[in-house]
Amino acid sequence: MAKSGRGLDSESVAAATVLKRAVELDSESRYQQALVCYQEGIDLLLQVLKGIQDDTKKCNLRKKISGYMDRAENIKKYLDQEKEDGKYHKQIKIEENATGFSYESLFQEYLNETVREVWVEDPYIRHTHQGGGKQQQICGLKEIKESLRDHGVLLELEYSSSIHDREIRFDNGWMIKIGRGLDYFKKPQGRFSLGYCDLDLRPCHETTVDIFHNKYTKKI
C-alpha cells in the first residue's frame, strides 16, 4: 500500500537531513561516520522511492540514490584499503560525565564472529569497581576464569611490574587504546543507583579512545 504524502514528506526530510550530515562529514574526511550516514540516508530514500507514483520523479530519485550509493561504495573501499595497509585510525572523545560508553557499546562493533583471541594490557586495574585490592583482584580473576571455562572460554593471566601501555587487541586486526585504560568509569553513587550494573548509564571520566586496524595484529 502506498504511503500518504505526509509520510513521504517526513521520510524525505529525514533522508535529506541525514545525507546533508553525510556530505559534511565526508568533506571533513571523517569517512567512517560519513559512511554510516550515507547508508542510513540511502535506506530512507529507498523507502521514499517505494511510495512515489510519478515515473519522472521516481527516475530522478533513482539517479540521486545511485550517486549516493557510488560515493558510499568508494568510501567503503577506501576504508577497507586503510585497514589492509594498517593506516586506519578512529578517535572517540569521551567527555567528563558522559554516559553511553559501556564496554559493550565501545567494543561490540569490533567483536565479530571471526574473533578467537583477545589480549588486554592494563597496568592500573585497582579500584573496587574494576577489581579491588591485589588479593581481592586475584580472587576475582580466578572466579571469572572458572566461570568463563564453563562456557568454553580460556582466560590466561600474566602479571608484570614493567608494562605502562594500555591497550586491547583482537585477533581480527582491531586494536583499541584508551587514555585511562579500562578504568574510565566514575565510582557509582550507591548499589541501587542507575549505572551500578548498567555501565551505559554510569558517568565517565574524560578520556580519549583511539582505534586502529592492522590485518596482521598478533600477540606480542
Side-chain angles (χ1 to χ4, degrees):
M1 184 173 69
K3 295 185 178 181
S4 67
R6 182 174 297 178
L8 287 175
D9 287 344
S10 63
E11 286 189 341
S12 296
V13 171
T17 301
V18 173
L19 289 166
K20 180 182 178 182
R21 182 58 178 156
V23 173
E24 290 173 352
L25 291 167
D26 194 348
S27 66
E28 296 170 2
S29 300
R30 297 164 64 182
Y31 298 123
Q32 186 67 49
Q33 297 97 315
L35 180 59
V36 172
C37 288
Y38 276 126
Q39 291 171 335
E40 183 179 342
I42 290 167
D43 286 341
L44 288 169
L45 286 183
L46 288 172
Q47 292 302 313
V48 173
L49 183 64
K50 292 178 181 179
I52 294 179
Q53 302 300 319
D54 184 273
D55 289 338
T56 301
K57 290 182 179 179
K58 187 174 289 189
C59 182
N60 290 335
L61 186 55
R62 282 201 185 101
K63 289 179 180 178
K64 185 178 293 186
I65 292 172
S66 179
Y68 286 127
M69 290 180 72
D70 288 344
R71 181 55 187 160
E73 182 62 26
N74 287 336
I75 290 177
K76 186 177 183 300
K77 288 179 180 178
Y78 172 79
L79 291 174
D80 287 343
Q81 189 61 51
E82 289 281 285
K83 294 173 186 177
E84 182 76 18
D85 297 340
K87 297 177 181 178
Y88 180 90
H89 177 216
K90 174 182 177 181
Q91 187 174 82
I92 300 171
K93 292 186 178 180
I94 301 177
E95 303 293 340
E96 186 75 8
N97 292 316
T99 56
F101 292 97
S102 67
Y103 296 140
E104 182 178 2
S105 297
L106 205 57
F107 302 141
Q108 189 175 39
E109 179 180 349
Y110 312 103
L111 283 168
N112 57 32
E113 66 279 358
T114 66
V115 174
R116 292 294 177 269
E117 294 185 63
V118 178
W119 302 285
V120 179
E121 290 186 359
D122 195 320
Y124 299 116
I125 299 178
R126 56 175 183 247
H127 294 300
T128 303
H129 58 275
Q130 201 188 18
K134 183 176 180 181
Q135 192 56 44
Q136 183 182 351
Q137 181 190 106
I138 292 174
C139 292
L141 289 172
K142 182 179 179 181
E143 186 176 336
I144 292 171
K145 183 174 183 177
E146 292 173 353
S147 180
L148 288 172
R149 186 172 55 201
D150 292 339
H151 293 275
V153 179
L154 175 63
L155 174 64
E156 297 181 348
L157 301 170
E158 295 181 10
Y159 297 91
S160 172
S161 59
S162 60
I163 65 168
H164 296 284
D165 291 339
R166 306 172 178 93
E167 64 182 42
I168 299 106
R169 284 171 283 129
F170 306 134
D171 65 351
N172 60 355
W174 291 107
M175 179 169 64
I176 300 173
K177 294 189 175 186
I178 307 173
R180 294 184 63 96
L182 292 172
D183 185 34
Y184 59 87
F185 294 107
K186 290 193 170 183
K187 182 179 179 181
Q189 295 179 344
R191 292 182 61 188
F192 300 102
S193 63
L194 292 176
Y196 185 82
C197 296
D198 189 344
L199 294 180
D200 269 320
L201 299 176
R202 188 180 297 187
C204 299
H205 291 288
E206 181 178 349
T207 193
T208 300
V209 181
D210 287 288
I211 301 165
F212 305 90
H213 188 278
N214 188 328
K215 182 179 178 181
Y216 304 103
T217 295
K218 295 181 180 179
K219 183 176 180 180
I220 298 173

